[in-house]
Amino acid sequence: MKYLDLKINSEQPRTISVAITDKWNELSCNQILYIGLLWQSWQLMLKNGASMQVAKARLLVSLINDKTPKEIKEILNLLSQIDFEESDVNPLALTDFIFESNKLTKNNFPIIKIGWFKKLYGPEDRLANITINEFSFALNFFNSYNKTGNEEFLNNFVACLYRPTYKGWEVTGDRRKPFNPFTIEQHLATVKKMEFAYKQATYLLFAGSMDSLSNEFKRVFSKADSEKKTTGTKQTFLDVILKISGGKFGNFDQTKDQNAYLVLKELQNLLEESENNKGKK
């Protein structure tokens, strides 16, 4: 949290103190939904070199915490009076962390209610409880959505990660029905009714978690990218993982339901060991 004193130059000079969220994982639910709703528009503006001043000003207001609507209205009025030349900090710069790098790994929406009775359950923080097959399918839809902007890919992506619950989930601790790519369509109609902002919030969570995982397991993702470029883009991430593991995790059926994080960690160790052995020769 960043605490900022806004100095107002008027007939009666005064200062107003505000608390502004300055980290991805400290964003409130409403803040994440606001960012999710406008994320694609912002990316298009940045791509086209459009001015972000108005967008950042509105974002800044959404990042202000613990203020009533009446106080927010007053802050907006006061912001319009700020003498930026004499201000120690340009308030709009406090929104830069949103555009510099997505570091969101906290899932603020473990349960999403749709309509009166339906609920879908999402993954844990940092995607800690998803299988490697689930990760592979979600990644494919995620990449397709990035390339095309087609919401159908976004719907399928969300349907991979958000699923209904089932009896006996206490055994695994994961309230979601076990992932099965052949049953995604069974709750796709429910996902389509989900508000767009929630879908985008899921997108942001996955993107931030991917950034975290790819930094922790750099050798794995680098090797996977290299393999995919060599062998073609039709292979899934899991296909590539199985190939570069050299059978370490068994065949497809033996591997697909294993925890994604543990598979990535084990493969990272395997690649490091292989590199060390090559260095000794």
Side-chain angles (χ1 to χ4, degrees), residues 22-154:
D22 65 341
K23 291 182 177 62
W24 274 95
N25 282 341
E26 292 178 0
L27 292 167
S28 69
C29 292
N30 286 336
Q31 289 168 345
I32 292 174
L33 291 176
Y34 178 83
I35 293 168
L37 188 63
L38 295 170
W39 185 259
Q40 297 301 331
S41 297
W42 291 342
Q43 300 311 303
L44 187 61
M45 291 171 67
L46 290 168
K47 182 179 179 180
N48 294 332
S51 172
M52 293 294 292
Q53 186 166 331
V54 173
K56 285 189 172 185
R58 291 174 177 169
L59 173 59
L60 177 66
V61 173
S62 79
L63 295 177
I64 295 174
N65 297 279
D66 303 323
K67 298 295 180 184
T68 65
K70 183 178 179 180
E71 289 172 323
I72 289 292
K73 187 175 181 179
E74 182 185 22
I75 290 170
L76 278 169
N77 182 51
L78 295 175
L79 282 173
S80 68
Q81 303 175 45
I82 293 177
D83 186 343
F84 288 101
E85 292 184 358
E86 294 187 12
S87 178
D88 295 332
V89 179
N90 178 355
L92 299 187
L94 295 175
T95 66
D96 287 347
F97 77 98
I98 294 294
F99 302 99
E100 288 170 355
S101 180
N102 178 356
K103 299 297 182 182
L104 182 65
T105 58
K106 179 183 177 183
N107 187 3
N108 280 28
F109 307 102
I111 305 173
I112 297 179
K113 187 176 180 180
I114 301 169
W116 288 99
F117 306 107
K118 292 185 178 180
K119 293 180 181 178
L120 293 178
Y121 296 80
E124 293 179 356
D125 295 349
R126 207 171 179 242
L127 311 177
N129 63 336
I130 73 173
T131 67
I132 191 64
N133 198 30
E134 180 183 351
F135 179 83
S136 180
F137 270 86
L139 181 60
N140 279 350
F141 287 125
F142 175 84
N143 288 335
S144 295
Y145 178 60
N146 280 335
K147 291 176 182 176
T148 66
N150 188 330
E151 195 171 344
E152 283 302 308
F153 288 121
L154 179 63

Side-chain angles (χ1 to χ4, degrees), residues 160-173:
C160 285
L161 301 174
Y162 275 83
R163 304 191 293 277
T165 190
Y166 68 106
K167 291 183 179 180
W169 66 266
E170 295 87 354
V171 175
T172 64

Side-chain angles (χ1 to χ4, degrees), residues 23 30 34 56 62 68 77 85 138 143 158 187-188 205 220 238 262 267-268 271 276:
K23 291 182 177 62
N30 286 336
Y34 178 83
K56 285 189 172 185
S62 79
T68 65
N77 182 51
E85 292 184 358
N143 288 335
V158 174
H187 59 280
L188 193 56
L205 170 67
V220 176
L238 179 52
L262 295 180
L267 188 54
Q268 176 86 353
L271 291 173
N276 290 335

